[in-house]
Amino acid sequence: MSHLEGVQEPDKATLRRELLAVRNRLTSDDVHRAGIALAARALELPELTHARVVAAYVSVGTEPGTLALLDALRGRGVRVLLPVLLPDNDLDWGAYTGEDSLARVRHGGKMALLEPSGERLGPDAVTDADVVLLPGLAVDERGMRLGRGGGSYDRVLARLADSDARPSLVVLLYDSEVVEQVLVEPHDRPVHAVVTPSAVRRFT
C-alpha cells in the first residue's frame, strides 16, 4: 500500500501531483526493471493466457514499461491494439506489429507518444478486445482508477459500457500506486484487476 494510504479522499489534482513526483524520481534502470517484472506478472493472468485480442498502450517517460509485455503477447499470437490520440482526446486504434511499427508523435505541447503507424481501425475497434490494459496513476481498494485527467480512457470505458463487449479491465502500475482511496466522480468505472511488479490484485 502506498505511503499515501492515510490521505482521506484527496482531490484528484493533488494526488496526481504527488504520484507524478514519485515517478519522476525513478531512473531509467528502475523503469526497465519494473517493466520486466510487470510483464512476467501480467503474463500469468488467465485473462491474458486466453485472450485473442488485447487493447494496450505504449508506456512513455517513467510510466511502468509495457514494451516487454506487448512483445510477449505478440509472441503468443495475440492481436495487440494500440491507441492513437485524436484531436478531441478520443482514441482511435491500430495494430502493433513490433517496435519498428511505432512512430513518435507529439500532440501540441504534450509529451511525444509512440503510436502505431499502420491502418487506423476506428474508435470502436476496442470493443473487439478480450482484455483492455489501462494506464493510470493509481487504483484504490475498490478498484477505482485515477488517470492523468485527459479523459481519453473515460471515453474508452464509456464506449465499452455502451456496447455488448465485456473485456477484462486491468491497470498496470507500480507497487506504491495502489492507494487506500481516490476521489470518485459519476463517470468513473471500476477495473477488474491491477498488476504491479510484485503482485496482482483483483476487485469484485
Side-chain angles (χ1 to χ4, degrees), residues 19-153:
L19 291 161
L20 285 169
V22 174
R23 280 191 180 181
N24 289 338
R25 291 196 290 270
L26 297 173
T27 67
S28 57
D29 285 343
D30 293 332
V31 174
H32 177 72
R33 283 194 300 270
I36 298 298
L38 191 70
R41 192 73 58 186
L43 290 167
E44 296 171 355
L45 287 174
E47 294 93 331
L48 287 179
T49 299
H50 301 294
R52 297 169 295 103
V53 180
V54 173
Y57 63 98
V58 183
S59 55
V60 293
T62 54
E63 285 185 322
T66 60
L67 276 176
L69 177 56
L70 301 183
D71 287 332
L73 289 170
R74 278 194 68 236
R76 288 180 172 182
V78 175
R79 186 170 191 236
V80 178
L81 304 180
L82 295 178
V84 177
L85 186 64
L86 297 173
D88 64 355
N89 274 357
D90 203 351
L91 297 178
D92 201 336
W93 298 87
Y96 177 62
T97 57
E99 200 168 345
D100 59 356
S101 70
L102 300 175
R104 191 170 295 276
V105 180
R106 186 173 295 279
H107 296 272
K110 299 177 183 177
M111 180 184 298
L113 303 176
L114 286 170
E115 298 180 344
S117 57
E119 178 188 2
R120 300 294 184 252
L121 304 174
D124 287 337
V126 69
T127 62
D128 293 332
D130 302 302
V131 179
V132 179
L133 300 177
L134 300 162
L137 291 174
V139 69
D140 72 13
E141 294 179 339
R142 303 163 294 177
M144 303 308 297
R145 167 187 160 271
L146 178 71
R148 284 182 175 264
S152 298
Y153 277 91

Side-chain angles (χ1 to χ4, degrees), residues 6 8 12 22 64 75 98 108 112 144 148 152 155 170 200:
Q8 294 300 312
K12 288 187 173 184
V22 174
M144 303 308 297
R148 284 182 175 264
S152 298
R155 296 190 188 196
V170 180
V200 173

